[in-house]
């Protein structure tokens, strides 16, 4: 009889991956299907049909199970992890009513309704009213209710993407509490829907009856239905386990279980996370997200346009590498490390602030990206190095903010996500942070984190610490280079940390003059 294995489905922004892991964390087989069905009807909009997400999932699972040598009977369970903040509106018959806005969508609700007077007074008294206004403008449900009122009137169920996929797989309107990252009435501190008196019910048009039942990560939600088995190729009756959002799974899959380990994710969005039992707001009034481990939190700080900037660089300045990569049959990004080797640490003074997207608090909604220090010596190679250094500076600032708020030192770094495959990026990270930067053995940390959840939920490992010890390994550690650490320390302290405060008034003026980013919130 074959030893048990776990099927993790990672429905990410760029692709859906079906991944088979054994109980030692080894990747046994994998199928990957790109997501090419996004639409952008207007500039700044980004959406996808809910059915397209389901079809991509089915294509990935069918491809995997048709070709793998792993017996279907060895698969102990299936678990989902997905991109965050992607809502699905369903009618009373559970049929999608409109495309889902994904997290990159930039549309904003036109107005923020006034809350009951007592909430207005309370929120103003603690300096939180502007944060709530931002929440109201960002909430997709408010945009739908204001701009497509007939659609909202027919909305009987309002789920995030994993809830929709759980429904398609099992017929259960159930989701994981660790997947509720988005503009929904969720109580991040208690890991459940907000209490009836909470301001979120006044700030959103969502009723409690529209939301799914929430369960803890690792809970067996249900079984793969006969219809889902026909569509996806999965065995009917296979146990389906509640997972967690992709970043939460990535943190777990990188082995970051305790507060002294910082987890950097170099993905489309770049993030800095720690895992803690304590509810800790790295930025005041911005809650930590639920961790993949029940009863824990991830103190996340996000740079929305993280390694997206590498793709931006490739499209704008990397035509030579793109052509050469096509000739060699490799990814263009694999050739960019050679560019970095042409440039000394500090990029001869070229310094980048990676706020290509505005923020909420720090940076604020007026923020823009900036590059300073140009001279006639600078080339695109300097710009590429400045991008990686700027991202590392921003994430170091996040680390220091978490340390100040939490009082505990972060002494180790784990780096995951697509950008972690760049040796140059990890060496820069080690030097900017002056800490060892560890690369996990497996690139698929988000899927591995989901598999760890399933292994504990099914009792195949006794607890999360045991599962991480068995399933997570480090491939390489990049040590700080003392000769470069001092250069980065000076640039970080004397230049980078001062940039935002100095440029903020100019950003506000730019927004007032041009209207971009939108100032309606």
């Amino acid at each position: 009889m074959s030893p048990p294995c776990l099927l993790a489905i990672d429905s990410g922004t760029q692709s859906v991956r079906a991944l088979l892991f054994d109980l030692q964390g080894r990747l046994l087989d994998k199928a990957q299907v790109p997501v090419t069905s996004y639409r952008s009807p207007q500039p700044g909009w980004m959406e996808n049909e809910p059915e397209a997400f389901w079809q991509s999932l089915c294509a990935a699972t069918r491809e995997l199970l048709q070709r793998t040598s792993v017996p279907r009977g060895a698969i102990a369970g299936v678990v989902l992890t997905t991109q965050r903040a992607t809502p699905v509106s369903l009618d009373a018959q559970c049929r999608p009513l409109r495309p889902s806005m994904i997290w990159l969508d930039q549309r904003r609700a036109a107005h923020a309704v006034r809350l009951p007077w007592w909430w207005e007074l309370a929120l103003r008294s603690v300096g939180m009213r502007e944060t709530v206004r931002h929440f109201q403008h960002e909430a997709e449900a408010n945009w739908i209710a204001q701009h497509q009122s007939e659609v909202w009137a027919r909305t009987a169920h309002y789920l995030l993407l994993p809830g929709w996929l759980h429904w398609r797989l099992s017929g259960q309107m159930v989701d994981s509490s660790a997947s509720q990252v988005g503009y929904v009435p969720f109580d991040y501190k208690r890991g459940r829907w907000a209490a009836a008196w909470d301001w979120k019910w006044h700030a959103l048009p969502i009723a409690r009856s529209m939301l799914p039942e929430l369960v803890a990560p690792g809970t067996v939600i249900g079984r793969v239905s006969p219809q889902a088995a026909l569509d996806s190729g999965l065995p009917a009756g296979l146990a389906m386990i509640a997972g967690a959002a992709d970043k939460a799974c990535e943190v777990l899959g990188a082995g970051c279980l305790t507060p002294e380990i910082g987890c950097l994710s170099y993905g489309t969005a770049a993030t800095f996370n720690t895992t803690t039992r304590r509810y800790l707001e790295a930025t005041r009034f911005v809650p930590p997200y639920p961790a993949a481990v029940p009863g824990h939190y991830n103190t996340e700080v996000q740079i929305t346009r993280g390694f997206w900037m590498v793709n931006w660089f490739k499209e704008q300045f990397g035509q030579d590498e793109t052509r050469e990569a096509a000739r060699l049959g490799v990814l263009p990004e694999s050739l960019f490390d050679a560019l970095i080797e042409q440039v000394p640490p500090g990029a001869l003074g070229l310094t980048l602030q990676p706020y290509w997207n505005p923020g909420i608090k720090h940076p604020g909604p007026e923020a823009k990206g900036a590059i300073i220090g140009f001279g006639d010596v600078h080339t695109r190679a300097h710009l590429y190095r400045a991008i990686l250094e700027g991202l590392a500076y921003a994430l170091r600032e996040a680390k220091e903010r978490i340390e100040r708020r939490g009082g505990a030192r972060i002494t180790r770094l784990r780096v995951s996500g697509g950008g972690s495959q760049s040796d140059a990026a990890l060496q820069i990270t080690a030097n900017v942070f002056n800490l060892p930067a560890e690369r996990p053995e497996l690139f698929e940390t988000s899927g591995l984190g989901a598999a760890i959840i399933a292994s504990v939920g099914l009792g195949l490992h006794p607890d999360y610490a045991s599962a991480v010890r068995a399933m997570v390994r480090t491939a390489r550690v990049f040590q700080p280079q003392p000769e470069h650490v001092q250069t980065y320390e000076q640039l970080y302290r004397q230049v980078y940390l001062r940039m935002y405060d100095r440029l903020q008034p100019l950003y506000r003026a730019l927004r007032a003059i041009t209207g971009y980013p939108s100032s309606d919130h």
Side-chain angles (χ1 to χ4, degrees):
M1 184 175 177
S2 299
C5 63
L6 301 157
L7 173 57
I9 301 172
D10 185 352
S11 182
T13 305
Q14 299 182 51
S15 67
V16 177
R17 295 181 295 283
L19 309 154
L20 279 171
F21 293 96
D22 68 14
L23 296 184
Q24 287 71 51
R26 290 186 289 256
L27 182 59
L28 303 176
D29 218 330
K30 167 183 174 178
Q32 183 168 359
V33 174
V35 179
T36 58
S37 49
Y38 294 123
R39 298 182 310 196
S40 182
Q42 295 188 32
W45 292 21
M46 188 65 70
E47 60 188 27
N48 195 24
E49 292 290 346
E51 188 64 24
F53 285 119
W54 171 244
Q55 293 300 332
S56 296
L57 181 154
C58 291
T61 53
R62 283 196 304 266
E63 180 184 333
L64 175 72
L65 294 173
Q66 284 169 5
R67 74 156 190 241
T68 188
S69 59
V70 175
R72 293 192 181 198
I75 303 173
V78 59
V79 59
L80 283 175
T81 181
T82 77
Q83 60 175 288
R84 306 182 299 188
T86 299
V88 180
S89 300
L90 305 176
D91 67 13
Q93 287 72 47
C94 297
R95 296 174 301 204
L97 288 166
R98 64 174 317 282
S100 294
M101 293 177 255
I102 73 162
W103 63 277
L104 288 167
D105 192 285
Q106 296 176 33
R107 72 191 88 178
R108 306 290 184 266
H111 61 270
V113 299
R114 285 186 63 81
L115 308 183
W117 66 267
W118 58 88
W119 271 120
E120 292 283 346
L121 185 63
L123 294 169
R124 288 185 193 283
S125 70
V126 297
M128 193 177 168
R129 187 61 186 95
E130 285 307 306
T131 302
V132 173
R133 281 178 58 81
H134 178 88
F135 176 95
Q136 290 176 275
H137 281 289
E138 293 284 329
E140 298 87 355
N142 282 338
W143 189 93
I144 299 169
Q146 292 174 25
H147 295 270
Q148 297 178 342
S149 56
E150 73 289 349
V151 171
W152 190 255
R154 296 170 56 205
T155 300
H157 305 282
Y158 193 75
L159 313 172
L160 295 181
L161 178 59
W164 160 246
L165 296 175
H166 289 152
W167 163 254
R168 292 304 303 262
L169 281 166
S170 70
Q172 302 296 316
M173 197 69 72
V174 180
D175 202 0
S176 170
S177 58
S179 294
Q180 303 313 302
V181 179
Y183 295 99
V184 289
F186 183 69
D187 183 337
Y188 287 92
K189 190 169 188 177
R190 294 168 181 82
R192 62 193 186 201
W193 296 126
W197 50 263
D198 197 289
W199 61 264
K200 296 183 187 74
W201 298 109
H202 300 286
L204 298 167
I206 300 169
R208 174 65 186 88
S209 61
M210 300 163 70
L211 299 168
E213 177 191 349
L214 294 183
V215 297
T219 303
V220 177
I221 290 175
R223 304 279 169 177
V224 173
S225 70
Q227 182 58 54
L230 285 174
D231 294 341
S232 67
L234 294 172
L238 181 65
M240 188 174 67
I241 300 97
D246 55 1
K247 291 294 183 186
C249 284
E250 198 169 303
V251 173
L252 178 60
C256 301
L257 276 181
T258 48
E260 81 279 0
I261 306 175
C263 182
L264 290 82
S265 173
Y266 281 156
T268 306
T271 57
F272 191 96
N273 267 296
T274 62
T275 302
T276 173
R277 286 184 176 272
R278 176 182 166 197
Y279 179 87
L280 177 65
E281 296 176 353
T283 304
R284 193 166 178 246
F285 301 138
V286 178
Y289 294 140
V293 180
H296 289 65
Y297 305 94
N298 288 150
T299 54
E300 179 173 309
V301 178
Q302 181 179 114
I303 310 300
T304 310
R305 298 292 191 175
F307 263 69
W308 169 91
M309 296 184 72
V310 171
N311 194 57
W312 172 80
F313 177 87
K314 177 179 71 175
E315 292 177 353
Q316 303 302 323
F317 307 104
Q319 291 87 352
D320 290 349
E321 283 75 17
T322 300
R323 284 192 294 268
E324 180 65 8
R327 188 182 70 81
L328 297 174
V330 299
L331 292 174
E333 290 83 352
S334 66
L335 304 180
F336 289 159
D337 278 7
L339 279 180
I340 292 177
E341 294 170 2
Q342 303 170 21
V343 177
L348 296 180
L350 201 63
T351 305
L352 181 141
Q353 184 177 266
Y355 299 155
W356 259 238
N357 254 34
I360 303 172
K361 286 280 189 179
H362 186 90
E366 80 293 326
K368 290 178 176 287
I371 310 171
I372 64 171
F374 273 110
D376 60 2
V377 298
H378 290 122
T379 66
R380 66 194 184 100
H382 295 83
L383 176 59
Y384 186 67
R385 185 173 194 112
I387 287 172
L388 297 186
E389 291 174 344
L391 287 169
Y393 291 146
L395 293 171
R396 175 175 167 179
E397 186 179 14
K399 165 189 170 285
E400 293 174 356
R401 196 187 317 168
I402 292 168
E403 288 177 325
R404 285 193 301 271
R405 297 282 292 178
R409 294 278 295 169
I410 295 166
T411 57
R412 298 170 61 190
L413 301 177
R414 297 272 176 86
V415 189
S416 60
S420 70
Q421 301 310 292
S422 164
D423 288 357
L426 267 78
Q427 189 60 63
I428 287 171
T429 300
N431 290 338
V432 167
F433 282 78
N434 193 22
L435 287 173
E438 304 173 21
R439 175 190 288 155
E441 182 179 86
L442 269 184
F443 165 66
E444 296 285 2
T445 46
S446 198
L448 177 60
I452 290 171
I453 294 172
S455 76
V456 177
L458 292 170
L460 300 172
H461 284 299
D463 52 52
Y464 283 91
S466 301
V468 166
R469 281 195 298 273
M471 299 177 74
V472 178
R473 287 171 289 279
T474 298
R476 183 174 172 187
V477 180
F478 293 78
Q479 297 291 344
Q481 297 167 315
E483 66 272 25
H484 300 319
V485 166
Q486 188 58 33
T487 298
Y488 283 124
E489 182 69 20
Q490 291 177 307
L491 287 169
Y492 175 70
R493 295 285 177 201
Q494 298 178 35
V495 180
Y496 182 83
L497 287 181
R498 300 180 182 183
M499 283 179 70
Y500 182 63
D501 288 343
R502 301 286 180 89
L503 292 172
Q504 190 179 41
L506 301 182
Y507 293 153
R508 287 176 177 149
L510 286 169
R511 185 174 70 165
I513 294 165
T514 67
Y516 180 81
S518 171
S519 59
D520 62 8
H521 59 289

